[in-house]
Amino acid sequence: MAVAASVVVAVGTATGTLSALDGGRGFDEAGPAVTRSPSPVPLPAVPSAPVTTKASVSATPAPSPVRTRSPAAAPTRTERKQRSAPVTTLLYRHPDSQVLDWVRSHPDDPRAALIGSRIADRPAAVWFADHTPDTIAARVRAVTSGAAAQGRVPVLVAYAIPDRDCGGASQGGAPDLAAYDAWIDAFAQGLGSGEVVVVLEPDSIAQSDCLPAADRAARFASLARAGRILKAADPRARVYYDAGHSGWNPAAQQAALLREAGAASPDSSDGVFSNVSNFRTTSDEIAYDREVLDALGGPPGLGAVIDTSRNGNGAPPDGQWCDPAGRRIGRAPTLHTGEARIDAYLWVKLPGESDGCKGAPGTFTPSYAYELAR
């Protein structure tokens, strides 16, 4: 059943970048994986893909009813209270991604200029989706040190929780929670001392109902520990927990799960993330995330980050999650949203990496990227 979690399983790491439409303003500089949302009808089968360098695996959730919420008034734009510590204003664009590889190797393709300017040149998250305890610290450090050298903020996605995707196409991760805890310890060693945003385990909380109660409690304890370890290793790290999206669990239900996983504690959390690899509108996510944060409790400084990479036209009316037609890139990634309690708009999913319908799951598909960029 899952969110749409883009899974980049790479020996290096896979990254991506995006441009913004959907009323976006300019972008900060800063990928990718495939995820989906629950659907009221059985989801189509998605071919599985091997876990290889720069290959993503699409998550295929079991059918689940789409939760609808009554329309909410558009949130009032307010200037968010600034954090006490100084913040870097620009996001980091990692110099290695599937889309960059394609643009560099296809300079004469008539689509290359548009894909390059609106996708490849934009900052996006770097996914760490394979359980590689011996190399994870060095790989994380390569990204954070590259960002620090430019005075920019990297966005990292930790995606190695056991029973990932509840046996769907993105199944994988660490073999057990003890191994996962060790992986997180090594991940934390690569953070350095600069600002970094960590998107901690997409789907791990919103999709946890597939686990027996004891296993779910153990997962949540491990997630709470992960946040504490990451923030202790780098006090300037911002760690965000899985809130699903506005069409999934009701806000109060999601907040209760988040609380169990440590998301209300300032020792482990800076707030929540939503809409990863999904298509819900930014206004819907702002309203939903505020509801979640209100129900979550915790210190007033907790905020939310929203994946705006493919939500420029909102979610398709038929609930399709797999490379739906008519979508477009959303608001530009930025750490300055001008919205109360909304810390950032991020491109967590890399536009152009297929969910498994327009191309192999997690692989860059230029025709899809061009459609989104246009």
Side-chain angles (χ1 to χ4, degrees), residues 131 133 160-162 174-186 218 222 225:
H131 180 246
I161 199 79
D176 53 46
L177 287 175
Y180 178 72
D181 291 347
W183 185 83
I184 283 291
D185 291 346
S222 193
R225 176 190 182 276

Side-chain angles (χ1 to χ4, degrees), residues 149-189:
Q150 296 182 19
R152 301 188 179 224
V153 180
V155 178
L156 312 180
V157 182
Y159 191 65
I161 199 79
D163 299 315
R164 184 175 69 197
D165 194 31
C166 295
S170 290
Q171 60 185 304
D176 53 46
L177 287 175
Y180 178 72
D181 291 347
W183 185 83
I184 283 291
D185 291 346
F187 188 106
Q189 292 172 16

Side-chain angles (χ1 to χ4, degrees), residues 324-335:
R327 303 310 97 198
R328 66 171 177 154
I329 55 181
R331 293 193 182 192
T334 180
L335 295 172

Side-chain angles (χ1 to χ4, degrees), residues 39-358:
S39 169
V41 296
L43 297 174
V46 178
S48 59
V51 177
T52 56
T53 300
K54 289 196 176 177
S56 296
V57 181
S58 167
T60 307
S64 168
V66 171
R67 309 274 202 313
T68 59
R69 297 163 49 253
S70 57
T76 302
R77 181 169 292 275
T78 55
E79 197 64 36
R80 188 171 129 341
K81 181 180 179 181
Q82 294 297 313
R83 296 174 182 270
S84 57
V87 295
T88 302
T89 59
L90 299 180
L91 289 162
Y92 177 59
R93 189 203 71 160
H94 193 273
D96 180 28
S97 68
Q98 293 187 79
V99 62
L100 278 168
D101 288 347
W102 183 85
V103 169
R104 290 163 181 158
S105 60
H106 294 82
D108 298 326
D109 191 295
R111 301 166 296 183
L114 187 67
I115 293 173
S117 64
R118 294 192 173 179
I119 296 179
D121 287 347
R122 300 296 183 257
V126 181
W127 286 69
F128 297 88
D130 50 336
H131 180 246
T132 52
D134 294 338
T135 62
I136 187 64
R139 291 167 48 212
V140 171
R141 187 177 300 112
V143 176
T144 56
S145 61
Q150 296 182 19
R152 301 188 179 224
V153 180
V155 178
L156 312 180
V157 182
Y159 191 65
I161 199 79
D163 299 315
R164 184 175 69 197
D165 194 31
C166 295
S170 290
Q171 60 185 304
D176 53 46
L177 287 175
Y180 178 72
D181 291 347
W183 185 83
I184 283 291
D185 291 346
F187 188 106
Q189 292 172 16
L191 292 179
S193 58
E195 283 187 84
V196 57
V197 172
V198 180
V199 174
L200 183 62
E201 300 297 340
D203 294 349
S204 62
I205 298 174
Q207 194 190 7
S208 61
D209 56 357
C210 71
L211 300 174
D215 292 348
R216 183 167 60 249
R219 170 184 284 190
F220 288 174
S222 193
L223 287 171
R225 176 190 182 276
R228 292 193 301 271
I229 293 296
L230 295 169
K231 290 183 70 64
D234 179 4
R236 299 181 71 194
R238 307 188 208 175
V239 179
Y240 295 89
Y241 282 71
D242 171 35
H245 60 68
S246 59
W248 203 338
N249 295 327
Q253 176 185 334
Q254 188 64 30
L257 297 172
L258 283 157
R259 197 177 303 112
E260 291 182 49
S265 169
D267 293 334
S268 57
S269 171
D270 290 88
V272 303
F273 63 83
S274 71
N275 208 43
V276 167
S277 297
N278 215 276
F279 306 92
R280 303 284 163 170
T281 64
T282 302
S283 59
D284 281 351
E285 292 308 294
I286 289 172
Y288 175 72
D289 289 344
R290 286 173 176 162
E291 289 181 33
V292 170
L293 291 168
D294 287 344
L296 179 62
L302 296 183
V305 299
I306 299 169
D307 186 354
T308 59
S309 62
R310 301 189 299 177
N311 72 348
N313 278 345
D318 61 359
Q320 175 61 262
W321 61 266
C322 186
D323 302 332
R327 303 310 97 198
R328 66 171 177 154
I329 55 181
R331 293 193 182 192
T334 180
L335 295 172
H336 302 284
T337 69
E339 293 286 352
R341 306 202 79 179
I342 306 302
D343 291 350
Y345 301 137
L346 303 175
W347 286 344
V348 182
K349 163 73 178 180
L350 175 61
E353 289 194 355
S354 175
D355 295 328
C357 292
K358 293 184 182 293

